[in-house]
Amino acid sequence: TAYELKFLFIPMSPLLTLYRVTEPYSFLSSYSSLSAANGAPILKLTCPPSLYPPSIPWFKLFKKFTPYFIALLTFVLISVAYFSPVLEGKKIFQNDIKHFIGMAKEVNDFRAENNAEPYWTNAAFSGMPTYNLSTKYSNNFVKILDDALRFLPRPADYLFLYLLSFFILLTVLKVEWKLAILGALAFGFSTYYIIILGVGHNAKAHAIAYMPMVLAGVLLALQRNFLWGFVLTAIAMALEVNAGH
């Protein structure tokens, strides 16, 4: 079978307007010139099903994932719009981050002088290991993934993670995608989550942002979707531990 596509040509214009799509018509491709009731010329195309958009696999795939593209774009735009000064190169003053920079100086100086990690600092409290503070590990692919997800300027990147992670959780809970976007916005703009960004609790915000994704992976497994449940839980938990809080 094939589909009959009729296009209405607008006289003296290169524009082509879709006129009508009918039921399956003929297997062979053909075309002929007809006339509409008003005398405007019509070009009738009869094409094989493989050329009709709904039968093309990539078209169906694109249509299936369009809501998720819309959600991602919405989250990016809202995150950047809310923290719009980052577009001007401005940075939010975070008091705790200033304290951390001072505390991390000993580690940074040791790293620069010895080209190695110290794994201990005397600058934090009465002295403590640095593995959860400032240690850099080679071949840390989780960190690479985390950096890729946090591609927006700080602190817009954390807001984007809030929104994305909770959207994934609601999607696993089979919430309709438009409502899932609204739910993600409600979660991301919870007062406390914005306040902690203002004072510099970045690691806490980082960990909070990945928690809904961890729960989503566990729920997938409980829904007996073991493969994707395992994959999502493993990735999300690795990102959660990498957040370091």
Side-chain angles (χ1 to χ4, degrees):
T1 59
Y3 294 89
E4 178 183 310
L5 307 178
K6 291 185 178 181
F7 296 89
L8 174 64
F9 283 102
I10 302 175
M12 304 302 291
S13 171
L15 298 177
L16 195 63
T17 305
L18 180 64
Y19 185 70
R20 187 177 63 182
V21 179
T22 66
E23 293 299 318
Y25 179 73
S26 171
F27 180 77
L28 298 177
S29 298
S30 64
Y31 72 91
S32 60
S33 296
L34 304 174
S35 296
N38 59 3
I42 292 179
L43 177 65
K44 181 181 71 177
L45 298 176
T46 307
C47 57
S50 60
L51 299 180
Y52 189 62
S55 67
I56 301 176
W58 64 262
F59 182 86
K60 290 182 178 178
L61 193 63
F62 178 78
K63 185 177 181 180
K64 178 181 178 180
F65 286 100
T66 295
Y68 306 112
F69 295 144
I70 293 174
L72 285 175
L73 182 60
T74 300
F75 296 155
V76 169
L77 293 177
I78 289 178
S79 299
V80 173
Y82 188 77
F83 292 107
S84 57
V86 299
L87 299 176
E88 303 172 10
K90 296 181 179 179
K91 295 183 179 181
I92 185 172
F93 176 80
Q94 298 174 297
N95 188 63
D96 280 23
I97 297 302
K98 289 296 182 182
H99 291 170
F100 172 77
I101 292 173
M103 183 179 66
K105 185 179 185 304
E106 180 187 34
V107 172
N108 292 332
D109 290 345
F110 182 93
R111 184 183 294 132
E113 294 173 6
N114 300 279
N115 194 29
E117 294 297 319
Y119 299 112
W120 182 269
T121 178
N122 295 311
F125 305 106
S126 298
M128 62 180 293
T130 62
Y131 68 90
N132 204 30
L133 293 175
S134 182
T135 301
K136 296 181 179 180
Y137 301 100
S138 59
N139 301 318
N140 187 349
F141 300 109
V142 177
K143 181 69 165 61
I144 295 174
L145 175 59
D146 178 58
D147 290 340
L149 290 172
R150 294 192 297 122
F151 61 94
L152 294 177
R154 187 171 297 175
D157 57 344
Y158 291 124
L159 178 56
F160 174 75
L161 279 187
Y162 288 158
L163 302 176
L164 174 64
S165 186
F166 203 77
F167 178 80
I168 291 173
L169 174 59
L170 293 181
T171 300
V172 169
L173 289 170
K174 297 179 173 54
V175 176
E176 200 268 334
W177 69 273
K178 294 178 183 177
L179 294 178
I181 291 177
L182 292 177
L185 292 173
F187 174 82
F189 283 98
S190 297
T191 305
Y192 180 73
Y193 300 157
I194 301 299
I195 288 175
I196 61 177
L197 294 176
V199 297
H201 293 178
N202 292 355
K204 182 187 292 186
H206 201 174
I208 289 173
Y210 282 128
M211 201 60 227
M213 200 182 300
V214 174
L215 293 176
V218 174
L219 286 173
L220 271 179
L222 292 175
Q223 294 169 5
R224 306 189 69 81
N225 191 339
F226 297 119
L227 176 60
W228 288 110
F230 166 76
V231 171
L232 183 56
T233 303
I235 293 175
M237 199 66 220
L239 291 167
E240 183 71 57
V241 173
N242 181 74
H245 195 281

